[in-house]
């Protein structure tokens, strides 16, 4: 990591930093950043989810804390930057008695998620339909206050997300003005079978057909498409490569799920009694959030 100009330090080539030191800096930055931004819809700059807001900052803080507390491929001690593969293990800082011991990171993640959950139906909410989330994305809906917390803010005439990820249109039709559009990247066939039959996400996410001559036709079993990106859900007909779609980076459902993960891990034997005294958080009992 570098925090001073090269002219002041003279070290053009700095050695690789320890993963935990990087995590510490990111966590510290996010803990400071949450105080600089408004909640979704509560400020001039947070009326849309194309700008960073407090809910996203808290959500990102929780996600980084969970990552920092977990397992990762780490070089052996003293071997950072040498190409050493090391082993899949947790960092030293999470050990008992260390800076992140006693599940501190899991507690930080839980607290960050609880701050966002406390704003449910005020600044954020869970949509009633998983499909509706992606229909709104296709319509370039970026108003704050819904499930989406932050999107990549592409201009309406930039980005090739549809050209790469959408269900393929072999020929131009009333939904897509370009032949051969979409379908470059899609899920592997086995993903469909990873979902439970009753999971509403399955039939939205994994699509076994393409469009040809304005009609749907089955693909071969080895070719599937990402159903979250569909030309037929857009308000306009795209004829070029660029589409202006603003991909979702974080949803309120992610925060709820991360809060549940943080709570599960924070409730180690030493903390169970205190957690029980705090009472249940109903929103954190939900099993699936899409």
């Amino acid at each position: 990591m570098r925090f001073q100009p090269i002219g002041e330090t003279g070290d053009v080539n700095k050695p690789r930093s320890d993963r935990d030191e990087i995590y510490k800096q990111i966590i510290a930055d996010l803990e400071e950043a949450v105080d600089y931004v408004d909640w979704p819809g509560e400020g001039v700059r947070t009326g849309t989810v194309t700008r960073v807001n407090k809910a996203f900052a808290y959500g990102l803080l929780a996600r980084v804390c969970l990552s920092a507390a977990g397992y990762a491929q780490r070089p052996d001690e003293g071997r950072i930057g040498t190409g050493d593969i090391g082993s899949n293990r947790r960092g030293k800082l999470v050990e008992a008695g260390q800076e992140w011991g006693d599940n501190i990171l899991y507690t930080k993640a839980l607290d960050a998620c609880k701050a966002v959950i406390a704003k449910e139906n005020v600044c954020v909410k869970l949509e009633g339909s998983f499909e509706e989330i992606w229909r709104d994305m296709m319509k370039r809906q970026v108003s704050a206050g819904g499930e989406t917390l932050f999107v990549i803010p592409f201009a309406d005439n930039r980005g090739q997300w549809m050209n790469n990820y959408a269900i393929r249109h072999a020929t131009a039709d009333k939904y897509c003005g370009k032949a051969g559009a979409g379908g470059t990247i899609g899920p592997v066939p086995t993903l469909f079978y990873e979902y439970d039959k009753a999971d509403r996400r399955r039939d939205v996410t994994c699509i076994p057909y393409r469009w040809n001559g304005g009609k749907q036709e089955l693909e071969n079993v080895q070719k599937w498409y990402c159903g979250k990106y569909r030309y037929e859900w857009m308000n306009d007909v795209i004829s070029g490569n660029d589409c202006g779609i603003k991909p979702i980076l974080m949803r309120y459902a992610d925060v709820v799920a991360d809060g549940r993960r943080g709570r599960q891990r924070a409730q180690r034997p030493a903390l169970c009694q205190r957690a029980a005294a705090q009472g249940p958080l109903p929103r954190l009992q939900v099993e699936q959030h899409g």
Side-chain angles (χ1 to χ4, degrees):
M1 294 187 293
R2 183 185 299 279
F3 297 102
Q4 293 84 31
I6 294 176
E8 295 181 5
T9 62
D11 53 350
V12 177
N13 298 311
K14 289 181 67 67
R16 184 175 178 178
S17 298
D18 180 82
R19 181 192 300 264
D20 288 339
E21 292 302 315
I22 296 172
Y23 274 134
K24 283 173 61 176
Q25 186 63 50
I26 295 173
I27 290 170
D29 288 346
L30 287 170
E31 288 178 326
E32 180 179 353
V34 294
D35 294 327
Y36 295 154
V37 289
D38 294 319
W39 288 102
E42 289 193 349
V44 176
R45 295 180 177 85
T46 58
T48 70
V49 290
T50 58
R51 301 291 294 270
V52 169
N53 55 63
K54 196 182 293 286
F56 172 69
Y58 271 126
L60 187 57
L61 172 60
R63 187 173 292 180
V64 173
C65 285
L66 290 174
S67 296
Y71 285 81
Q73 195 72 24
R74 299 171 184 268
D76 294 329
E77 292 298 314
R79 302 283 292 170
I80 297 173
T82 65
D84 178 68
I85 296 178
S87 59
N88 188 36
R89 58 183 176 84
R90 301 180 74 194
K92 290 287 186 181
L93 295 182
V94 300
E95 295 178 353
Q98 297 299 313
E99 185 174 350
W100 287 340
D102 299 321
N103 296 317
I104 286 176
L105 287 179
Y106 291 132
T107 302
K108 280 180 179 287
L110 176 59
D111 290 343
C113 293
K114 287 167 67 175
V116 181
I117 291 170
K119 289 289 187 175
E120 183 172 331
N121 296 324
V122 178
C123 299
V124 298
K125 67 177 182 180
L126 290 175
E127 302 293 348
S129 166
F130 180 73
E131 180 178 310
E132 194 63 31
I133 298 168
W134 310 106
R135 282 184 175 271
D136 286 345
M137 185 179 72
M138 291 296 94
K139 294 179 174 63
R140 306 189 187 99
Q141 172 60 255
V142 294
S143 297
E147 183 166 329
T148 299
L149 300 184
F150 185 66
V151 300
I152 302 177
F154 278 96
D156 287 347
N157 62 345
R158 297 302 301 270
Q160 297 190 24
W161 293 90
M162 298 299 288
N163 196 44
N164 286 296
Y165 291 97
I167 299 173
R168 184 171 180 79
H169 284 246
T171 60
D173 53 43
K174 64 179 181 180
Y175 300 120
C176 177
K178 177 188 174 185
T184 304
I185 302 170
V188 296
T190 53
L191 179 63
F192 179 85
Y193 301 98
E194 294 291 332
Y195 288 103
D196 184 86
K197 291 181 179 180
D199 196 324
R200 294 176 297 172
R201 298 171 297 175
R202 185 190 69 173
D203 294 341
V204 174
T205 305
C206 304
I207 302 299
Y209 64 79
R210 66 175 182 171
W211 288 86
N212 190 13
K215 298 180 180 180
Q216 297 175 0
E217 65 178 21
L218 282 175
E219 271 282 10
N220 67 70
V221 71
Q222 295 180 338
K223 186 66 175 178
W224 289 69
Y225 300 110
C226 182
K228 297 174 182 177
Y229 294 84
R230 308 191 192 200
Y231 284 103
E232 57 268 33
W233 287 352
M234 298 187 71
N235 288 330
D236 48 347
V237 177
I238 302 297
S239 299
N241 292 334
D242 296 300
C243 60
I245 292 300
K246 299 162 179 57
I248 298 172
L249 280 189
M250 183 177 290
R251 295 159 40 213
Y252 176 47
D254 299 325
V255 176
V256 174
D258 284 343
R260 187 173 183 274
R261 295 184 187 103
R263 181 164 184 143
Q264 286 176 331
R265 289 162 175 77
Q267 288 181 354
R268 301 299 184 186
L271 299 178
C272 280
Q273 185 175 359
R274 187 178 73 182
Q278 291 174 343
L281 260 174
R283 178 56 71 197
L284 297 186
Q285 311 306 314
V286 181
E287 290 288 342
Q288 293 182 348
H289 312 281

